[in-house]
Amino acid sequence: AGKAHESSTGGSATPISIAQINFCMSSTLLIPLAFWGSVPSHEITCLVFLSDDSKFVTGAKSGQLCFWAITESQSDTEKDISIQPRILALTHDKRVTALAKTPFRGLPEVVISVSEDGSIAFNDPEDGQCLDFQANLLQGGATSIVVLPDRQIACAGNSTDVELIDLVQLKVVTTLSGHDDWVSSLFSNDSSLQNLSSTLLSLSTRNVIRYWSVKQGEDLPFQTFILNKDDDDLNLGASMSLSPDRSLLLVVWPTTWRLYLASNCNEVEANETDFHQQGGLLKGAFLSQNSFVIWTKCGKGYTYYFNNSSELGPGTKMQAKLAKSLHLPGSVPVTHFASADQSPRYLVSADQTGNVYLWTVPAVEEYENIVEDTIFPRTICRFQDSWKNIEIEKEGTVTATLIVEDTLQMISGSSKGYVKIYSLPTDDSPITFVAHKTKVTALLTVEASPSLLSTEQKRHLVTGSEDGSIKIWEFKKERVTEFPLLHTFSFHTGAVTTLLQLNTTPPPTLPLTGPPSPNRNASMNGSSRLVTSQSFLNARKPQIPPSTPPPAPEDRGTIFSIGEDRSVALISLQSMNCRRLFTGHTAPITSLRIRQDQDYLLIGCSDESVTIWELSSGLIEGRIVGQQAQEILATSEDLSRDYKPKLLQARGTSSIVLKAEDTPIQVIILNVKKLLSELYLIYKPASQNATQSSIDVLQTHTYKAVSYLLPWRLDPDLDALLLKDLQLSPPNPNFTYGIRGAEGKLSLLLPSKSNERWVVSGTFTAIQSLAIIAISKALLYLSEAKNACSQLLSYICAMMPEKCPRYVLPSHVTLARYWQDPVDDVLYSARSLMISTMERCKPQELTELAQQISAQLKTSQGFSKSLRIVLLGIIGCEYPNSIDRDIGQLVVRGLTKLLQQEGQASFLQGAAAELIGKGYEHWRPYIDKQAQIMQKLFHLTQTSRTLKDIAQAALLNVGAHEPAHFVSVLTDAALNSSHSSLVSSSSSTSSSSSNLSSTSVGGSGSALHLIATLVRKNPSSLLPQLPRLVEAMVQCLDTSNMSLRESLLPASNEILKAIVQKYPMISFHKETQRLAVGTSKNLVNIYDLKTAVKSLVLDGHNGSVAAVAFNLDGKSLATYSPDDSLIRLWNTGPSPSFFRFGGATNNTIVKDPFNSFSIASHVKRTLTPQFLLESVQLDWSSARKLVLKRSWEAEMVIHVNS
């Protein structure tokens, strides 16, 4: 683990914007593929058992974490036990110094790891995924970690302090400084010493035990004991273990062990055995309340048991009896061991070579029945055993590797000097040739500039070796059997460690200004002047003018080579010569950076120094050391192409090389969303051009990369179909899948688990399934692929659990992550997979799932908590009976908070908006701020392009259940927005004011448009608010503010058209601009839209008015009420003088129609307003003929006399 380098392909990566980077971090779908050419080392430095006693984790010197599994199988005579390493997590850059387990962010258990550089990581115990990573959080590498109450952990080791870390904030909140020497062990005593809720015990290397109260604000020990202060032989460092009931302390020194009462440190037992001949003691730990084990440094173990300690009092002693010794095969000393917490009890030890030994430890009462004095391991496993399937070929082990991304080729160099080239994804006969006489140590492909005699674009393969030679080979994109050797360089006196390409189009850098250094001509071997970063940054060196550029900026074939002899060479592949050789550095070279605009080359070394060279002349500029050197490096372009997780958005396939000690691990990162985008671009022209076959699509490297995602070797029939229809085959060479975590940390399945991606974890299954479904949906557009993709979709969504033994269902939390996604195929895939997974659950199981997720919310924070809120919202919308009242209230509070939070990840805000709208019928009893929710949803329709459609749909759903708030909120929004725009326009004529005005007008129009939309889609929902709706529309046409009227007139017309079409109790006469509205309160209101006033109220029915209709000239109005079974006719002239009672004014009430007709009805059902909305229609077919249509009666025609 540690440094990783992107392989070069002859061109720079496509730059992406900050917005794209943020998007990449929030919703990427990346799948790592690991190609294991040889076995990495795993020198174990620490070990911890998980609560599930069948799993444990080891940390290594190289910074890796390995996740192991213990499996049992029943044979004819006894149980067979085996150990297998499952996953390698490349988490830290430095040695892992301590491991522990703790609840974290809603998960019942995660693995905490600390490295010697003070970094701390939290990994999922199932798949090794890094859930969070904090660099340099601690003062140094903690060797002991203890979990405390209130979501805290204590860390100590290699320091005199104990640091308390808050697991919510992930920062050090308290430092306990009471020891004079280093702290070697920590334990938490939860059995309340001194009546405290929790006590922390710390043991120093000088045998001082301090008791700390774990309370906020307390940083002084309340009790201190010194163990064996009169025995100088025991002042050599010790380790401590606490019994399960926290009553006894086992302290182990290199020469002896002793037992103490935890309450007062009174000694109750001391060892009398001499362990000097076995190298001394290493460590000890309790196996149970009445037994413990100790290990010697030569690898021998001893178990002891004693009588019940509950009767121990002051001055009494216990008798610890030697039970059995543990036999360790081989001669490699044990370095670490751990025991399981539950029965059957396992004891695991590990050594520096990665060997792991397992014993089953008998219970105390079983010791007397065991005749043998020695217990042998039940099983032994070597870390290297996972690579049994990888044959070490005659060409030797892989020592260097790279991926040519644009042609999807993998190149590897071996320990015997061979170079092998694979055409991915499937190549059973790779091209192999001898490149060097010794080990190949570095590889690079470079696009060379066309020569003067030819415009053909050429590519070179550059290989470096252990003997210091560098060879240039002609490399063609098409498959060939020969690679002509063009040139050989031999100027390094040590192995070539790195090959890098000079980027000829550097990004803009901070200017380095100032005059040249007076020590310009000093050599590295002379008395070069040591400069500071401040003097260097303040220098006044001008930028290089165009007439004196750096060496050949047009030459795309310029590379750097770094050697173990601490030299750097600048090589031109166009002229095939070494242009510069930079030598004499004080330590091994670790980084190479450049400032082309100032002609500077900066070389970083392992001693934290930076040497500054002038690139064009090869002369030294100066040397900087320490932190100042790092500041200089941070402002320069990095040529090393270190692994940058945020930039994986650029391509569908990206490649990196991870270093585990000296072993390269070639990794390809498949960006599924980018692959989808590339596939769309490829087959879209094919679908539009009849002469171009989709076969062309099948030949692209993007399409071939899809082979890595398919579920090969699970079903022979499915394999045959994929081979036939998709023209793809199982990938070769072999690889394993991985998962990407926080800060781009990768966790990779080991080679022995290459076919087990469906049995690792719910997260692993979810990501793999999601990728396959999304790709299959995209390929459905290809006629040749439709059948295979349809079968593939059915297989993943429905058949996989039955076809795959030990199948792990997809994680609902992970799928909730993609419930709202900007890529449609990913969004629909996540929803299909989520629903199909939930449909497999019984109602009780869904209820239990909701309760489990709800319980996790209590310990979740931030993004993790938000995802669980979204998941509960999905369950509540799809399966409302699974959510009880308490969970419903919790979900509503959470979704409302997500909706209101500014700056929240857009997909979380979008999911919250959708789920509030979709499930509003179920959430309604728990919501008391309906207007605020609607205001926020409307705000999103105006301010967020990505969430506009989602927020609009949600607003309409909520409005259908809350019509009063809907009309009020949107009317206010329309009037307020329009008013604001008019004020802005009148106060300023500047462009910014004009832009504000147009935006505000758009907002007011959008508000009225949404009202019209709900009228068209769900007219019955607004029926109770129809009078209020019409009043609001009329208010928008107020003639006292003509600017307001003009701005809102188009949207008001849209509402008018919608309500006239949808509501039979509304009629509009265009010529007279009169609008009649029948109400449920027996009235008919008539509005004059020219003046925006209510001109007349007709009061003549004894029930709600279900239909109204103006006659053709607008002088008469017919109204119908099924409650009193009457049709009435009213005079409605163009002015008040036409009313029956002359002189009527605005809002005049008229109670006498000029004619009435009794209408018979034989309906036996209740005539609800919603039913009448779709069942009644009243129209004038001519000036004297009125037609009444009712769905439950025959059509009635009424002839009206003049």
Side-chain angles (χ1 to χ4, degrees), residues 31 59 72 171 257 413 497 618 795 810 949 1055 1145:
I31 297 182
E72 295 183 356
K171 68 177 184 179
W257 58 261
T497 61
Y795 192 90
D949 293 341
I1055 294 180
T1145 60

Side-chain angles (χ1 to χ4, degrees), residues 10 39 89 121 164 430 608 697 708 717 811 842 895 916 946 977 1053 1103:
V39 183
L164 304 187
E608 295 189 349
V697 177
Y708 286 113
D717 294 336
S811 163
K842 298 177 181 178
L895 291 178
I916 288 174
T946 57
S977 295
N1053 284 335

